[in-house]
Amino acid sequence: MQIAKDAVVQIDYTLKDDDGNVLDQSPEGQPLAYLQGHGNIIPGLENALEGMSAGDSKDVTVGPDEGYGPRHDGLIQQVPREAFQGVDELAVGMQFQAQTEHGPMLVRVAEVEGDQVTVDGNHPLAGKILHFSVEVAEVREASSEELEHGHVHGPEGHDH
Ligand code: ZN
């Protein structure tokens, strides 16, 4: 069976940046399961996988416009240290849920300098060129319930 809209797909993948650093990968023996054509994964990867079958592999390069979007400087903000009450040690890379005028947003601590903390609400992969090595582990038909929910059920997917 080939990957097409509404197929349940399992992929083993490694994601590297332009310098060859590994940014993310599926754990050994635990491929990522997703529903093709439902926006479960970034468009650039979904498009590249269309038509592939179990056992096929491919290297895919995805730019920001088909990945996690551009970086927005407006999502980088300085906040006073006292905004982090109850946090003893603030370190770069820590993530917090922040209340903003646009609603709750996940931000990362980008810099701590004295009493000033710089937080970044951009997705960590925003603005990056992404290099995926992908191998298709399995392709199967989705159940009607999975199609209704727009995601994969079972041991490799949502459990609810
Ligand atoms: Zn569901």
Side-chain angles (χ1 to χ4, degrees):
M1 175 174 174
Q2 288 186 320
I3 297 176
K5 187 171 190 312
D6 297 342
V8 170
V9 184
Q10 292 190 43
I11 52 169
D12 291 298
Y13 70 93
T14 302
L15 168 60
K16 292 180 180 174
D17 65 13
D18 263 341
D19 299 322
N21 301 307
V22 174
L23 300 175
D24 189 20
Q25 64 190 135
S26 51
E28 182 79 35
Q30 291 176 49
L32 171 78
Y34 76 95
L35 189 58
Q36 177 80 0
H38 291 259
N40 292 176
I41 61 173
I42 55 172
L45 191 55
E46 193 168 64
N47 293 340
L49 288 163
E50 185 88 13
M52 291 175 72
S53 308
D56 290 351
S57 54
K58 197 185 230 182
D59 290 332
V60 184
T61 299
V62 179
D65 50 334
E66 281 199 303
Y68 292 90
R71 282 183 63 82
H72 295 290
D73 288 343
L75 295 177
I76 301 169
Q77 279 183 10
Q78 292 223 321
V79 292
R81 173 70 177 81
E82 64 201 28
F84 298 88
Q85 279 175 14
V87 183
D88 292 338
E89 294 262 337
L90 261 189
V92 170
M94 288 172 85
Q95 294 194 332
F96 296 91
Q97 184 99 328
Q99 298 304 325
T100 73
E101 54 192 279
H102 307 295
M105 190 168 84
L106 195 65
V107 300
R108 268 173 312 122
V109 174
E111 199 181 323
V112 183
E113 209 177 293
D115 197 36
Q116 285 293 309
V117 180
T118 306
V119 296
D120 187 346
N122 285 289
H123 188 284
L125 298 178
K128 293 206 164 149
I129 309 242
L130 308 171
H131 302 272
F132 289 93
S133 297
V134 187
E135 184 172 347
V136 179
E138 193 190 294
V139 186
R140 68 164 167 87
E141 309 232 13
S143 69
S144 54
E145 194 186 42
E146 286 173 322
L147 289 177
E148 207 174 291
H149 288 201
H151 56 226
V152 176
H153 289 168
E156 74 276 21
H158 275 245
D159 177 24
H160 65 125

